[in-house]
Amino acid sequence: MHGAVSDKSDTKTESSAVPGDSSDTTRYDFMVVSNRLPVDRCAPGEPGDDGSGWRRSPGGLVTALAPMMTRTDGAWVGWHGAADETVEPFSHGGMDLVPVQLSSDDVELYYEGFSNATLWPLYHDVIAPPEFHRTWWDAYRTVNRRFADAVVRTADEGATVWVQDYQLQLVPRMLRQARPDLKIGFFNHIPFPPPEIFAQLPWRQAIIDGLLGADLVGFQRSSDAGNFMRSARRFLGASVKQQQVHVKDTEGDLTHIARAQAFPISIDVQHITELARKPEIIERARQIRQDLGNPKTILLGVDRLDYTKGIGHRLKAYEELLNEGHLKVGDATLIQVASPSRERVEQYRLLREEVEGTVGHINGTYDTIENTAVRYLHHSYPVEEMVALYLAADVMLVTALRDGMNLVAKEYVTARTNNDGALVLSEFAGAADQLKQALLMNPHDIDGLKDAVMRAVKMSPKESARRMRAMRKQILDHDVDHWSADFLNALNEKVIRDDS
């Protein structure tokens, strides 16, 4: 990891060196903190079962951090996924895991409420209206304190702590107050809104103050870091110079310098590449095409079922292309994978009904006896099946209305080891900053989206190879190891105070 963290033998100790604590609990000098632990419960015999009752979770954050955690032998703090249940610390897949307990009320108020019905829509440009409830905010503060306390108990003297994502924005300040010896990093995996939108949040000052407890606050895009620094200046009156925020105590004395920078997250390139070259996965991709009637063009969308992903815009554009005769069922098929998401939140229930209604309408209108217009799959799939789908698809559609990064776009490009295929990518996804050779478009512009889809369908092999080769090089040079090393090296840099 390029010297970003110490070797395995040094990262955990049986120690009582923690300030104010004399217990012999295992201490770690590198810790990751996120809402969820990187494991899910599984029944015996289920895919991924290793006999422990747990399997590694899918998803971008786990993909990004698990390889690093197994190398460093650090600890991961998070909720284990079941409400009203106490689980003791345990190890899985080379990682020590420190569970945080959540009650049913915590899940409803802190997670489904404040995190996903207040912050998520607010941070995604209020595509859906955020709700502001004081009881949700109270629960958010309480649960953030619980996560911070778990770190305080188990972090060694001078430990590095890397807090992840919007559910835990108060944790950095809580850690700094309790343990000023810690080196604290925070990474926000979703967008950070401009001050004009962030201004709506009644607790905007507390959130900014919470984040400024970190030594380094990371974002997906430079524009997100800029939005954060503008909010720090506007709502806290913070002194912001270049990428540095001078954080002061109530007496006006400088306590530390918090930096805000962009660190675009990436994927485990080696793993995706190895899967894409496996004969059985290549054969599975061939079978997928055959099962669909071997159409000339397979278009693919892979998303969580979320209103930020632009699934409705994608379906509208596709239906219009069918109606206008630019695409024809039999020649073209759209596979839409929509993995279940936050199904107890009302906005998500309504979205599922809307998407399934639209798919039913398109198929009812355009299906033939032999062929279907949209193959809609409301499931989650293992990575092996996803790579087979990437190989089967001629065109990948990423039409997010707002997305921190979108790792699916990077996975698709990485899987195309023959440098074929085409990526249609929303300019509102963070990946657009790196994958400039994709067919970039504004998903709100349905005509523009249709034009991009048809350009992808008709793209010559020579142009496809040129674009894909450039995108693959970018991702291969900036994989997940590069992301984590960049962040941790920056966190451990000596800060030069800029008083100019």
Side-chain angles (χ1 to χ4, degrees):
M1 269 272 297
H2 313 288
V5 292
S6 51
D7 293 334
K8 271 194 169 194
S9 58
D10 298 327
T11 56
K12 64 178 181 179
T13 57
E14 298 292 333
S15 167
S16 58
V18 177
D21 193 293
S22 58
S23 66
D24 10 341
T25 307
T26 302
R27 307 287 175 203
Y28 302 90
D29 85 341
F30 180 67
M31 303 187 75
V32 168
V33 191
S34 67
N35 176 64
R36 282 295 301 271
L37 287 174
V39 292
D40 293 322
R41 278 242 172 73
C42 65
E46 283 188 2
D49 174 42
D50 60 4
S52 69
W54 301 93
R55 64 181 168 208
R56 183 176 290 184
S57 307
L61 179 59
V62 179
T63 300
L65 295 180
M68 176 186 63
M69 294 299 294
T70 55
R71 286 197 298 274
T72 61
D73 203 16
W76 192 312
V77 175
W79 178 44
H80 59 277
D84 303 311
E85 179 185 59
T86 299
V87 174
E88 295 301 318
F90 65 102
S91 297
H92 184 273
M95 294 182 284
D96 283 7
L97 307 177
V98 180
V100 173
Q101 325 307 328
L102 296 184
S103 68
S104 298
D105 284 347
D106 293 332
V107 174
E108 179 183 349
L109 303 175
Y110 144 80
Y111 180 70
E112 294 172 351
F114 196 80
S115 295
N116 290 320
T118 300
L119 294 176
W120 180 269
L122 185 76
Y123 282 31
H124 287 85
D125 293 352
V126 294
I127 294 166
E131 298 180 42
F132 305 113
H133 299 294
R134 286 167 289 181
T135 52
W136 292 1
W137 166 247
D138 291 342
Y140 186 82
R141 280 189 307 182
T142 299
V143 172
N144 271 241
R145 173 67 64 190
R146 202 173 304 150
F147 276 82
D149 288 347
V151 175
V152 168
R153 288 194 303 271
T154 52
D156 208 348
E157 175 78 16
T160 295
V161 181
W162 195 0
V163 184
Q164 306 290 329
D165 224 358
Y166 64 104
Q167 301 96 342
L168 301 175
Q169 293 175 103
L170 304 181
V171 169
R173 169 62 65 192
M174 293 172 174
L175 291 179
R176 184 164 295 277
Q177 289 171 339
R179 294 284 305 277
D181 59 294
L182 299 176
K183 179 74 75 172
I184 304 164
F186 182 93
F187 188 79
N188 197 60
H189 292 259
I190 67 173
F192 196 89
E196 295 76 17
I197 290 178
F198 188 70
Q200 296 179 33
L201 185 67
W203 308 281
R204 59 201 187 189
Q205 289 181 313
I207 292 292
I208 295 292
D209 184 63
L211 291 170
L212 287 176
D215 297 285
L216 178 63
V217 186
F219 299 91
Q220 302 281 22
R221 309 177 88 163
S222 296
S223 57
D224 295 321
N227 286 342
F228 170 72
M229 288 184 285
R230 287 197 294 140
S231 288
R233 181 186 289 118
R234 176 170 167 181
F235 302 120
L236 281 187
S239 173
V240 179
K241 298 178 181 177
Q242 296 184 353
Q243 294 179 314
Q244 298 182 356
V245 182
H246 291 209
V247 185
K248 299 176 181 178
D249 60 20
T250 54
E251 305 298 319
D253 297 324
L254 183 71
T255 60
H256 68 288
I257 293 174
R259 291 165 292 147
Q261 293 174 227
F263 300 90
I265 198 170
S266 195
I267 61 171
D268 188 347
V269 169
Q270 181 179 350
H271 184 49
I272 298 294
T273 302
E274 288 173 354
L275 289 175
R277 289 178 172 152
K278 281 191 170 184
E280 60 268 32
I281 290 181
I282 294 170
E283 170 59 24
R284 174 61 184 147
R286 187 199 64 78
Q287 184 183 359
I288 289 170
R289 293 192 71 97
Q290 181 177 311
D291 290 347
L292 292 169
N294 284 316
K296 293 178 185 175
T297 304
I298 293 178
L299 303 103
L300 175 65
V302 175
D303 311 89
R304 279 191 315 103
L305 190 54
D306 191 288
Y307 49 76
T308 64
K309 302 299 183 182
I311 299 172
H313 297 63
R314 181 183 316 163
L315 292 172
K316 181 174 179 60
Y318 180 63
E319 180 178 11
E320 289 190 11
L321 289 170
L322 291 174
N323 183 54
E324 294 162 2
H326 297 298
L327 294 177
K328 182 180 177 182
V329 172
D331 291 340
T333 297
L334 170 63
I335 302 173
Q336 176 59 59
V337 178
S339 58
S341 177
R342 302 169 187 164
E343 295 188 298
R344 297 191 346 167
V345 178
E346 179 66 13
Q347 287 281 358
Y348 290 80
R349 285 200 296 266
L350 295 173
L351 176 67
R352 179 178 178 181
E353 292 176 7
E354 178 185 331
V355 169
E356 292 180 354
T358 302
V359 169
H361 169 73
I362 295 173
N363 285 342
T365 304
Y366 298 101
D367 276 8
T368 66
I369 295 295
E370 298 85 7
N371 301 104
T372 187
V374 183
R375 184 62 60 88
Y376 176 73
L377 306 166
H378 185 55
H379 307 289
S380 297
Y381 290 96
V383 64
E384 293 82 2
E385 183 73 356
M386 294 312 308
V387 172
L389 284 167
Y390 297 148
L391 293 179
D394 304 287
V395 178
M396 184 83 215
L397 303 177
V398 177
T399 58
L401 307 179
R402 194 78 166 89
D403 216 336
M405 177 51 59
N406 194 284
L407 296 179
V408 164
K410 294 189 174 184
E411 289 176 351
Y412 176 77
V413 169
T414 302
R416 306 302 294 197
T417 55
N418 293 331
N419 291 318
D420 54 0
L423 173 63
V424 175
L425 177 61
S426 167
E427 63 192 45
F428 302 122
D433 284 4
Q434 289 95 51
L435 306 182
K436 297 182 185 299
Q437 294 77 21
L439 294 172
L440 298 176
M441 53 77 208
N442 173 3
H444 298 284
D445 175 8
I446 300 299
D447 287 335
L449 173 51
K450 288 158 60 181
D451 289 345
V453 170
M454 292 312 300
R455 282 184 64 197
V457 169
K458 296 177 179 179
M459 189 179 293
S460 69
K462 182 178 179 181
E463 182 182 359
S464 176
R466 176 182 63 80
R467 290 173 177 269
M468 196 60 71
R469 194 176 292 115
M471 290 191 289
R472 283 178 53 75
K473 182 180 188 310
Q474 208 286 335
I475 297 172
L476 267 58
D477 290 346
H478 299 86
D479 66 359
V480 68
D481 285 343
H482 187 277
W483 169 75
S484 53
D486 268 5
F487 185 94
L488 291 170
N489 284 331
L491 178 59
N492 286 300
E493 283 174 3
K494 183 173 178 60
V495 179
I496 299 173
R497 182 170 170 177
D498 179 13
D499 289 320
S500 59

